[in-house]
């Protein structure tokens, strides 16, 4: 089994972590012991001290954002539009609100369980549209991995419930960089090239 990423992995510059998370494996351990595994294909960085797209911009501290101030390697899961959960990994030093949003992934192990949680059917029974839109969005990823606010605050550096393994990072030449998605309200931060993905 790949080694679990340590707290030192997350205790770095958020942009470096966002890029370095590509190709890593998220492991979701269900109550029955089943392990759902998917490989990260897309990330976005959010840095509170200077980023108007970050929930904790300017040091904003609320019950919702409190997890952003937790130790690096903590799962920050929040709800958007009252219906979709988003998985983030807290980065940098404790008390510095920053995190990486996991935007997309592909299944590696127990894909049928993931597919049933997304669409109520096995992978072989998915339509072409469902295959194309399996885990290519933060809400879709959380649905497939059965992640909700219940898992907010989990320690990613242990082996309980949710963790990240070393996986297979892509060659640097395969990494694409661009603007983040869905943050039109964030003024100059709209143009920050803080999204990373592989095709």
């Amino acid at each position: 089994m790949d080694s679990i990423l340590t707290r030192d992995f997350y205790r770095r510059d958020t942009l470096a972590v966002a890029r370095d998370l590509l190709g890593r494996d998220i492991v979701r351990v269900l109550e029955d012991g089943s392990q759902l595994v998917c490989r990260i294909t897309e990330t976005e960085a959010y840095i509170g001290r200077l980023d108007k797209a970050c929930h904790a911009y300017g040091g904003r501290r609320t019950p919702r954002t409190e997890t952003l101030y937790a130790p690096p390697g903590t799962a920050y899961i929040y709800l958007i539009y009252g219906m979709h959960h988003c998985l983030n990994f807290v980065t940098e030093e404790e008390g510095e609100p920053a995190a990486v949003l996991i935007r997309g992934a592909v299944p590696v192990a127990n894909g049928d369980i993931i597919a049933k949680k997304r669409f109520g059917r096995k992978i072989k029974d998915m339509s072409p549209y469902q295959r194309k839109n399996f885990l290519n969005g933060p809400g879709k990823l959380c649905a497939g991995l059965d992640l909700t606010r219940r898992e907010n605050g989990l320690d990613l550096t242990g082996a309980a419930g949710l963790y990240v393994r070393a996986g297979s990072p892509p060659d640097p030449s395969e990494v694409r960089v661009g603007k983040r998605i869905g943050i039109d309200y964030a003024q100059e931060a709209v143009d920050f090239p803080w999204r990373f993905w592989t095709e």
Side-chain angles (χ1 to χ4, degrees), residues 125-134:
D125 299 321
M126 286 164 51
S127 69
Y129 176 84
Q130 289 171 333
R131 290 176 185 275
K132 182 179 179 182
N133 296 280
F134 193 2

Side-chain angles (χ1 to χ4, degrees), residues 23-183:
R24 310 295 185 171
D25 291 341
I26 299 173
V27 180
R28 169 74 167 118
V29 184
L30 301 180
E31 288 186 3
D32 65 2
S34 301
Q35 293 188 354
L36 310 182
V37 185
C38 59
R39 186 152 292 161
I40 298 171
T41 59
E42 184 176 3
T43 64
E44 288 181 347
Y46 289 85
I47 304 173
R49 63 181 174 275
L50 53 84
D51 179 9
K52 291 178 181 175
C54 182
H55 294 160
Y57 172 65
R60 182 182 302 124
R61 201 156 184 162
T62 67
R64 182 196 197 197
T65 66
E66 192 62 31
T67 308
L68 276 171
Y69 294 86
T74 298
Y76 170 47
I77 301 176
Y78 59 85
L79 189 67
I80 57 170
Y81 310 127
M83 56 193 299
H84 300 300
H85 289 91
C86 295
L87 171 64
N88 301 257
F89 300 157
V90 175
T91 56
E92 305 200 16
E93 294 291 341
E94 182 174 358
E96 181 67 48
V100 174
L101 170 67
I102 310 303
R103 281 203 59 87
V106 293
V108 171
N110 276 326
D112 281 343
I113 298 177
I114 299 172
K116 282 188 174 182
K117 291 184 177 297
R118 275 283 286 132
F119 300 115
R121 62 189 64 183
K122 294 183 178 181
I123 289 178
K124 67 179 179 62
D125 299 321
M126 286 164 51
S127 69
Y129 176 84
Q130 289 171 333
R131 290 176 185 275
K132 182 179 179 182
N133 296 280
F134 193 2
L135 302 174
N136 62 337
K140 301 171 188 178
L141 176 65
C142 282
L145 295 182
D146 193 24
L147 292 171
T148 68
R149 287 279 297 168
R150 292 189 309 269
E151 287 71 46
N152 180 55
L154 282 181
D155 181 0
L156 298 164
T157 65
L162 185 67
Y163 57 93
V164 185
R165 300 190 310 215
S168 300
D171 186 276
S173 65
E174 300 174 1
V175 176
R176 303 290 178 261
V177 181
K179 297 178 183 179
R180 295 171 295 178
I181 296 172
I183 57 166

